[in-house]
Amino acid sequence: MENWKDILYKEIKRLKNTLYSDVRLDEREELKISFEKEVIKSVVQEKSIIGGVRVYKSSGYGFASFSNYGEIRDALKNAVYLADFYRGEKIKFKEMEKVEGDFTYPSRNPPSRFKIQDKFEFIKNCIEEIFENKFIIGISGTYLETKFKRLFTNTEESLILQQREEIIFYMQIFAGKKDLREKYLVYYAGRDFKEFKNSINVQIKKAKDYLSELIKSPRIKTGIYDVVIDPYLAGVFAHEAVGHLSEADIVFKNKSMEKIFYIGRKIGNKLISIVDDGRNVKNLGGYFYDDEGVKPEKVYILKEGEIYGRLHSRESAAIMGENPNGHGKCVQASFPPIVRMSCTYIEPGREDKESLISSLKNGLYIEGNMGGWTEIETFCFYPLRVWKVEKGKIKHPLRQVILKGNVFETLKNIEGISKDFIMQGIDCGKGGQAPLPVSYGGPYLLIKNMKVCGE
Amino acid sequence: MEYEIREVLRGENFFKFRGKELEEARRILKKEKFIRGVKGGKEVFVYGNGSNRELFKRLRKIINYGREVKYISPEPLKIEEEKRERLSELKSLFSRIQEVLEDRKEIEVYFYEILKDVKMKSKNGFEGRYIQKYYKFYILLKGEKNGDLIQIGSGRNSKKFSEFEKSYRKFVREYRKLPGRKGLPYKKNILFILSPLSAFSLFDSLIYRFFKGSDVVQKVSFLFDKLNEKIFNEKICILNDPSDEKLTNSRPFDDEGTLTRKFYLVKDGIIGGFLLNRENANILGIKPNGCAYFLPKMGMMWENYHNIKIKGGKDSIKILEDYILLRDSYFDISPSGEFVITCPLAYIFKRGKKMGYVKSFQISGNVFHILSKNLEFISREKENFGNFVVPFIGFKDVKFI
């Protein structure tokens, strides 16, 4: 990487006469262990170098990628060539401080310190353990370990090297009985190998117990229910339903969004505040500098129910005449940075979990998440575990449901927030760029009138 | 040690316009190489953009961690090389798009040119190469009335853009005249018609969820023991065709070097086959059909379709009188077949005429029911979405949420 520093520093000087330009270079090493049925299906080792050049000359950027030294000049030329297509007014970038430095993300037990054999054996044991449950009919999943260095330089002469290691693991579990099928997800995203092992062991035990009950459980009728959701699902809601709307590129590229998600609009009740804060690098979603050389800032997306701020890259900030706050990120150097979240959470409240559940007369208690999507105001989530609650008491599990609704209506229906608080690492996708490590979290939430699709 | 080397040069030119203004221009060139090595029945992959020597070195290092595999080796094949086109050739197309979009600030156009140059060789003599090149257009209509994503289409060449332009203009003209409605005029027996775009979403989810060999082998798919059984209405025929040059995902061999072939997933309502790579075909005791896809993200050999053709019916959509046309919808299907359709935009038709539109509602049901006993209509007209050719599909008896 030291050689590359000199090369890129020299090459970026060729772009001095452009409005703004930057180059990113990734050196990545990956280990992927995939499994399916009852066996490890493949072991893949990947090592690659990939870079991208972004050039602004007027209203937009030209971007070109390269994968070895011989291609840099071509990529520079291509990016300049594409930047020449623009005809609009020049973007006025806010000048940023020149930054130089090497930064390594903290981890007590980075995965690269452990042998492949340890990882292989651990996954084999997990598979054996999960099939002890007679209802399990199939699994599939991947252990993905990434070690990467990202070098960034720009026409303001910043030169930043960031190094980190991550693990993303997921195991989809299918349980079945006759023609009935149920799905479950075991998931981890983080930087610590020992923490990963502990987390997966706990989750597998939970999965076995829950699926044995679930397969005999009834389906709930589709309808409107009062629900209590756990911090993981609350985090998904903060990230998917509200966080994405606060990404400034979504707002400025969509006129109708300017009328929906504007600063000062009251969209939730006073209890709720949602924050994005990437400053703590111990969190998976935290970082020293974003992929445009800007430090992350704490941003209140929602403060006491009112839209308070939004997340910016340098481009979105320049277009909207606001300040960049360190949210320009790309998943790989072969993509241009776009506005992304870091660590998004709902601030805790004053109540406790038990009092929220005991307030439900005929409702649901819901934990975890297996996926979902949002489309502007509409959201759709697949929770991991659902229980029926009657007269304030948790009764029995219910088969898989889908939660659907309108973000703004749901925010108004949040009537209780617990003081408990949990953050979790997760991966996020946007604009074809995935998996980007982020974090989300929050407290337990009591939500009235949630649309639940079941039978 | 036996091995297969697969090299992919993937080029993607991407342009995004807002009105007539260019908003994003990028050219991404990626070289990828993966080697699958098999030694003493153990299999591993290495992947990256290093030299063959370096990759083999890493392969030898991890080969002992591989698992045992057994499958049929691919047959030898040679494909002639095609010339790669240069970026500058896009210029003329580019200015045409800008002309079309003049004064239309409320829309966005996404334009992709995708080029894939795939080379593959193996120790046992297989050697092949193919080049895929196609364009994709998406038009996003914006404004006060809506913010709905309208996909106009995709094709292998730029001539298609003229057709997209016409259908776009027609759509905007009609849409602006229609009155909106708050509620859906729902009656139990109302006929719901999926537009080809919505039907594409249905069949895409259905095939992905139930026809992948890995899910069949694990019995995760409900269809695992239903080969040659009648599950769907006899009007349903789903053909996987990797050889149609007009469609975007045609290829002579898959990522394991198995020759691809045309086959029915469903013929006259009967399950005719699954998407199979060599390993799962071997487990099921049938021939692989060239559906192996290497997924670099997951690091495993997955299965997927190439080009899907859904057989059309005899009647035209024009004969229908009262129905709700789901213009654009997303399907979420559970492993047991229950689905929820989220529909951002639907049209209300009375006596064959478009009377208004409804936005944002959901319906639920079971996918095997709507394609068997509840299936009411398949149109003669079909639309092409690049690697999917699909008609209008009509059904009754679903639940409105």
Side-chain angles (χ1 to χ4, degrees):
Chain A
M1 237 4 174
E2 286 304 315
N3 292 343
W4 280 101
K5 272 186 180 175
D6 297 338
I7 294 165
L8 295 189
Y9 204 60
K10 206 169 114 192
E11 293 296 333
I12 195 83
K13 285 188 175 158
R14 293 175 191 278
L15 302 172
K16 263 281 175 203
N17 57 352
T18 60
L19 187 62
Y20 170 81
S21 301
D22 52 22
V23 183
R24 275 158 289 274
L25 178 85
D26 283 358
E27 194 182 279
R28 298 170 73 87
E29 282 178 48
E30 285 187 356
L31 172 70
K32 292 167 201 165
I33 302 174
S34 302
F35 46 92
E36 203 180 67
K37 299 184 270 291
E38 292 174 34
V39 291
I40 288 185
K41 191 171 165 72
S42 70
V43 182
V44 182
Q45 254 198 355
E46 179 186 347
K47 201 173 176 182
S48 59
I49 285 179
I50 194 142
V53 187
R54 182 172 66 154
V55 174
Y56 284 91
K57 292 182 93 176
S58 58
S59 58
Y61 65 77
F63 182 91
S65 69
F66 58 93
S67 51
N68 63 49
Y69 176 65
E71 289 170 2
I72 297 179
R73 291 275 168 87
D74 268 355
L76 287 177
K77 278 183 201 163
N78 272 329
V80 171
Y81 175 78
L82 292 169
D84 277 333
F85 278 86
Y86 294 85
R87 297 170 189 171
E89 273 184 32
K90 282 185 179 178
I91 295 178
K92 288 177 187 154
F93 285 102
K94 194 175 175 201
E95 226 173 90
M96 301 300 289
E97 217 177 273
K98 176 182 167 180
V99 185
E100 273 186 273
D102 292 3
F103 304 90
T104 303
Y105 286 75
S107 170
R108 279 190 190 169
N109 302 293
S112 65
R113 271 201 217 147
F114 296 80
K115 290 178 188 165
I116 298 182
Q117 199 166 353
D118 295 341
K119 296 154 193 171
F120 205 77
E121 287 302 320
F122 176 71
I123 294 166
K124 264 169 82 175
N125 292 341
C126 289
I127 297 170
E128 274 170 27
E129 197 186 332
I130 200 79
F131 276 101
E132 283 171 9
N133 182 317
K134 62 178 180 178
F135 296 113
I136 309 292
I137 53 168
I139 58 165
S140 70
T142 299
Y143 168 88
L144 169 64
E145 177 188 309
T146 313
K147 182 180 180 182
F148 89 95
K149 296 176 184 174
R150 176 165 295 164
L151 189 60
F152 167 82
T153 184
N154 64 5
T155 40
E156 291 160 350
E157 299 189 355
S158 284
L159 189 64
I160 302 170
L161 177 66
Q162 301 191 75
Q163 306 185 44
R164 62 172 195 248
E165 290 188 33
E166 289 146 8
I167 299 169
I168 294 178
F169 175 91
Y170 77 88
M171 181 193 268
Q172 284 190 90
I173 303 168
F174 295 92
K177 198 179 161 189
K178 294 181 184 168
D179 282 347
L180 184 141
R181 298 286 180 274
E182 285 294 330
K183 195 174 133 186
Y184 193 90
L185 184 71
V186 168
Y187 180 88
Y188 173 85
R191 298 198 191 111
D192 189 301
F193 188 69
K194 284 189 179 167
E195 180 191 87
F196 153 72
K197 280 172 59 172
N198 292 339
S199 165
I200 296 303
N201 281 332
V202 171
Q203 289 187 58
I204 285 183
K205 196 179 172 315
K206 262 190 187 176
K208 279 163 64 184
D209 295 346
Y210 183 75
L211 285 167
S212 302
E213 287 293 308
L214 182 69
I215 212 78
K216 301 171 220 157
S217 303
R219 247 182 194 285
I220 191 169
K221 285 207 166 152
T222 296
I224 309 286
Y225 296 87
D226 294 345
V227 300
V228 170
I229 64 171
D230 78 337
Y232 300 109
L233 192 53
V236 177
F237 183 74
H239 174 99
E240 291 290 348
V242 184
H244 279 300
L245 290 178
S246 75
E247 291 167 339
D249 54 349
I250 294 176
V251 180
F252 82 77
K253 287 177 180 175
N254 190 339
K255 287 229 156 150
S256 56
M257 277 302 296
E258 284 174 14
K259 289 177 183 168
I260 296 170
F261 207 83
Y262 57 87
I263 306 284
R265 183 181 171 194
K266 188 144 180 64
I267 55 171
N269 67 30
K270 266 212 156 190
L271 291 172
I272 189 153
S273 293
I274 299 179
V275 176
D276 188 281
D277 187 358
R279 294 175 301 170
N280 185 353
V281 291
K282 284 182 185 166
N283 288 326
L284 183 70
Y287 40 86
F288 294 102
Y289 287 92
D290 74 357
D291 295 322
E292 299 182 305
V294 182
K295 266 197 166 188
E297 289 174 16
K298 180 175 179 177
V299 179
Y300 267 95
I301 298 169
L302 218 65
K303 202 168 189 179
E304 294 175 0
E306 201 173 286
I307 299 173
Y308 196 80
R310 49 185 153 231
L311 311 180
H312 277 300
S313 64
R314 293 190 70 170
E315 186 194 70
S316 70
I319 292 170
M320 296 179 81
E322 295 176 11
N323 287 328
N325 48 27
H327 288 87
K329 301 273 292 167
C330 58
V331 69
Q332 266 186 24
S334 56
F335 290 100
I338 50 175
V339 185
R340 303 297 290 261
M341 280 168 267
S342 56
C343 307
T344 316
Y345 58 88
I346 297 176
E347 285 194 333
R350 288 179 185 173
E351 296 182 59
D352 52 51
K353 176 188 168 186
E354 287 71 27
S355 69
L356 296 182
I357 294 172
S358 62
S359 71
L360 296 176
K361 280 183 188 161
N362 178 24
L364 307 174
Y365 170 61
I366 304 174
E367 281 185 353
N369 184 50
M370 288 196 284
W373 52 265
T374 51
E375 182 70 33
I376 308 182
E377 291 174 50
T378 311
F379 67 83
C380 170
F381 299 138
Y382 309 94
L384 191 61
R385 296 181 288 266
V386 186
W387 286 270
K388 184 94 176 80
V389 180
E390 282 168 11
K391 292 177 188 165
K393 297 265 183 278
I394 295 177
K395 293 288 174 184
H396 53 83
L398 291 164
R399 287 182 56 206
Q400 202 177 40
V401 301
I402 300 174
L403 304 181
K404 287 232 168 199
N406 179 290
V407 177
F408 302 117
E409 283 170 18
T410 308
L411 280 168
K412 281 179 187 151
N413 290 339
I414 295 174
E415 293 197 357
I417 300 182
S418 81
K419 56 191 173 207
D420 321 70
F421 181 80
I422 300 172
M423 278 284 264
Q424 187 195 15
I426 194 92
D427 64 284
C428 168
K430 176 184 166 185
Q433 296 198 41
L436 182 83
V438 294
S439 298
Y440 58 48
Y444 291 87
L445 301 178
L446 166 65
I447 308 175
K448 297 271 182 184
N449 300 325
M450 176 72 89
K451 195 182 275 182
V452 180
C453 306
E455 197 174 354
Chain B
M1 178 168 62
E2 278 194 32
Y3 62 81
E4 288 163 19
I5 305 177
R6 179 170 169 269
E7 286 178 68
V8 182
L9 172 67
R10 187 184 161 93
E12 183 183 301
N13 294 315
F14 172 76
F15 298 96
K16 184 183 163 192
F17 302 88
R18 192 141 52 113
K20 66 172 182 175
E21 298 294 341
L22 177 67
E23 199 175 61
E24 202 178 330
R26 62 174 197 242
R27 172 172 171 72
I28 290 176
L29 195 68
K30 267 189 181 176
K31 284 178 190 164
E32 296 166 349
K33 193 185 283 180
F34 85 77
I35 303 181
R36 179 213 288 252
V38 183
K39 191 181 174 187
K42 299 249 176 162
E43 174 200 66
V44 288
F45 299 90
V46 284
Y47 179 73
N49 52 15
S51 66
N52 282 0
R53 200 177 159 182
E54 192 213 326
L55 290 170
F56 273 112
K57 203 174 152 190
R58 286 197 276 130
L59 188 80
R60 277 190 282 270
K61 218 171 153 186
I62 59 167
I63 192 82
N64 293 333
Y65 298 108
R67 78 198 163 95
E68 291 195 9
V69 287
K70 201 177 169 187
Y71 47 60
I72 306 151
S73 287
E75 295 160 34
L77 170 83
K78 294 247 181 202
I79 305 287
E80 277 191 23
E81 188 180 338
E82 277 180 37
K83 271 188 186 170
R84 208 151 52 85
E85 286 184 29
R86 298 287 308 147
L87 175 69
S88 55
E89 287 174 29
L90 289 170
K91 262 190 170 174
S92 63
L93 176 67
F94 204 81
S95 49
R96 275 182 53 214
I97 296 173
Q98 281 179 310
E99 258 170 50
V100 171
L101 302 182
E102 198 74 36
D103 299 327
R104 293 202 172 274
K105 286 185 180 161
E106 79 278 25
I107 68 165
E108 284 178 8
V109 170
Y110 295 77
F111 169 72
Y112 296 85
E113 182 207 46
I114 293 160
L115 172 82
K116 258 176 108 180
D117 182 349
V118 181
K119 289 181 211 168
M120 193 155 172
K121 65 176 181 182
S122 65
K123 203 179 176 186
N124 72 356
F126 172 87
E127 203 174 334
R129 179 175 188 175
Y130 66 86
I131 293 182
Q132 272 187 333
K133 185 177 174 182
Y134 56 94
Y135 299 92
K136 269 186 183 179
F137 294 91
Y138 297 92
I139 296 186
L140 177 65
L141 181 70
K142 291 182 163 188
E144 302 231 353
K145 267 190 163 180
N146 63 63
D148 307 312
L149 182 66
I150 310 297
Q151 184 187 334
I152 301 293
S154 57
R156 275 182 99 88
N157 58 58
S158 57
K159 281 177 199 165
K160 266 264 179 189
F161 189 72
S162 315
E163 292 167 33
F164 302 154
E165 182 204 335
K166 269 187 213 163
S167 53
Y168 160 71
R169 283 181 189 279
K170 193 179 162 205
F171 173 77
V172 172
R173 221 169 33 236
E174 285 181 358
Y175 184 74
R176 283 186 174 151
K177 281 182 198 163
L178 291 170
R181 270 185 79 115
K182 276 188 180 169
L184 190 69
Y186 182 73
K187 286 181 239 159
K188 204 186 171 208
N189 282 328
I190 194 127
L191 178 63
F192 282 96
I193 299 284
L194 297 177
S195 70
L197 184 60
S198 299
F200 166 26
S201 169
L202 164 73
F203 285 106
D204 180 52
S205 309
L206 178 83
I207 296 167
Y208 183 77
R209 178 69 82 182
F210 298 100
F211 285 86
K212 280 205 313 282
S214 55
D215 289 339
V216 172
V217 165
Q218 291 197 89
K219 300 180 183 174
V220 167
S221 166
F222 152 82
L223 300 177
F224 75 94
D225 56 352
K226 308 279 190 294
L227 191 65
N228 300 323
E229 272 186 37
K230 190 168 175 296
I231 296 292
F232 299 103
N233 188 297
E234 60 274 3
K235 287 177 191 163
I236 299 285
C237 288
I238 307 175
L239 176 69
N240 179 48
D241 183 359
S243 58
D244 190 333
E245 285 294 308
K246 286 176 197 154
L247 302 177
T248 55
N249 206 13
S250 301
R251 58 184 65 191
F253 56 89
D254 70 2
D255 289 352
E256 293 181 316
T258 306
L259 299 182
T260 54
R261 64 182 171 87
K262 223 187 222 189
F263 67 94
Y264 280 97
L265 290 166
V266 180
K267 193 175 184 189
D268 304 328
I270 297 166
I271 305 295
F274 301 111
L275 308 170
L276 297 170
N277 62 19
R278 281 190 263 160
E279 186 196 351
N280 289 325
N282 203 49
I283 293 169
L284 293 174
I286 44 184
K287 271 193 173 180
N289 45 27
C291 291
Y293 271 72
F294 180 69
L295 281 192
K297 259 186 202 171
M298 297 181 59
M300 63 202 286
M301 200 59 78
W302 210 246
E303 289 138 326
N304 206 347
Y305 59 81
H306 304 103
N307 302 306
I308 292 290
K309 293 174 173 173
I310 310 292
K311 193 181 163 189
K314 286 177 188 164
D315 297 324
S316 166
I317 183 79
K318 289 171 189 160
I319 65 156
L320 297 177
E321 295 214 325
D322 297 350
Y323 59 97
I324 291 169
L325 176 69
L326 310 184
R327 170 70 183 77
D328 187 4
S329 27
Y330 319 109
F331 277 76
D332 295 299
I333 304 182
S334 80
S336 298
E338 285 91 10
F339 68 79
V340 177
I341 308 176
T342 302
C343 185
L345 181 65
Y347 293 123
I348 302 155
F349 278 79
K350 275 188 181 167
R351 285 176 224 100
K353 282 194 175 169
K354 216 179 267 183
M355 303 301 286
Y357 67 86
V358 201
K359 280 184 66 180
S360 296
F361 63 92
Q362 287 127 23
I363 51 177
S364 68
N366 185 292
V367 73
F368 296 104
H369 292 170
I370 64 164
L371 292 178
S372 55
K373 61 181 183 186
N374 294 354
L375 184 80
E376 292 280 327
F377 178 77
I378 299 181
S379 77
R380 191 168 67 203
E381 298 88 348
K382 287 187 275 187
E383 274 186 39
N384 172 352
F385 296 100
N387 68 336
F388 229 102
V389 183
V390 62
F392 292 85
I393 303 282
F395 52 87
K396 279 185 179 174
D397 281 341
V398 284
K399 192 170 178 178
F400 175 62
I401 305 168

